[in-house]
Amino acid sequence: MIFVYSLGGSILAGRDAESLKEYAAALKNLAQEHQIFVVVGGGKIAREYIEKARALGAGEAFCDLLGIGATKLNAMILIAALGKDVAPEPPETYARALESSAGGKIVVLGGMQPGQTTDAVAALLAEYVHADKMIVATSVDGVYSADPEIDPKAKKFDHMTHSDLVRLSMETTLSAGSRSPVDPLAAKIIERSSIPAVVVYGGNVENLKKAAEGGHSGTEIS
Ligand code: UTP
């Protein structure tokens, strides 16, 4: 099967080498049976740099490009942890990502163009490579009816439809560095191609496998 992961930058950032090796081992294990693509987010460094640039008067597209730089830094760290059997740098295009996967190599990507987040990159890549599933491994353990950090009554969905996800994600903003469960563009892309998706807590490395093969407690979108 072909799986495209959107691995939040907040999940990788701040981990020591040993812990990064655990993520690499989990991905290599999955790659023995499946074709694996991982799109890595920008996390804290992206937010810090974006905030600083914005305070200095930079425009949103400039801030987005800064964010993309941060995603590539994080992608390179994961590539370092994976060692061999991985494409040596984040591809700049979807076609190159597909080419790089030849021979069962894991492909790690960062951001692509301004105006979106790495969830959208993962969704577009999932379309491009005809993925069986897109897996969003992030800092929350599923999709909630409201931000669980702000609203204690927020309810987690075990399952939702693509159109439910589009509606929910549209309620959040598209400004550089914004926090939303899934980028609205990503939601629209997976909706138009009916790509099954899962949102799981990425801080638990076992969820990478469970999201792909079953047994997770996140949100299924189909
Ligand atoms: P992320 O995908 O990390 O966004 O990209 P995020 O919502 O902060 O996700 P987490 O916290 O890592 O899970 C960081 C920033 O980089 C820019 C955007 O500004 C985004 O907010 N970016 C990223 C782009 O402009 N285009 C891309 O393709 C990817």
Side-chain angles (χ1 to χ4, degrees), residues 8-9 41-43 47 50 64 67-68 111-118 121 176-178:
R47 265 185 216 107
I50 286 169
D64 280 341
I68 291 170
M112 290 287 194
Q113 63 270 328
Q116 61 182 38
T117 73
T118 43
V121 175
S178 80

Side-chain angles (χ1 to χ4, degrees), residues 102-125:
K105 276 197 164 51
I106 300 174
V107 182
V108 182
L109 298 87
M112 290 287 194
Q113 63 270 328
Q116 61 182 38
T117 73
T118 43
D119 288 341
V121 175
L124 287 160
L125 181 66

Side-chain angles (χ1 to χ4, degrees), residues 35 37 86-102 105-109 112 125 128-129:
Q35 180 64 59
F37 295 86
V86 62
E89 61 181 6
E92 300 283 337
T93 65
Y94 297 103
R96 190 48 68 85
L98 182 59
E99 272 168 25
S100 302
S101 69
K105 276 197 164 51
I106 300 174
V107 182
V108 182
L109 298 87
M112 290 287 194
L125 181 66
Y128 197 89
V129 302

Side-chain angles (χ1 to χ4, degrees), residues 38-63:
V38 188
V39 185
V40 181
K44 197 162 162 257
I45 339 171
R47 265 185 216 107
E48 276 177 18
Y49 273 72
I50 286 169
E51 269 167 35
K52 212 174 286 179
R54 210 181 260 145
L56 290 166
E60 288 299 302
F62 185 101
C63 291

Side-chain angles (χ1 to χ4, degrees), residues 100-162:
S100 302
S101 69
K105 276 197 164 51
I106 300 174
V107 182
V108 182
L109 298 87
M112 290 287 194
Q113 63 270 328
Q116 61 182 38
T117 73
T118 43
D119 288 341
V121 175
L124 287 160
L125 181 66
E127 270 194 329
Y128 197 89
V129 302
H130 300 284
D132 293 285
K133 207 190 268 185
M134 175 174 108
I135 295 159
V136 180
T138 184
S139 54
V140 285
D141 61 352
V143 182
Y144 284 77
S145 53
D147 185 339
E149 280 179 27
I150 297 170
D151 185 351
K153 288 196 195 125
K155 184 177 136 299
K156 186 169 89 181
F157 301 106
D158 294 331
H159 176 264
M160 67 196 305
T161 64
H162 285 108

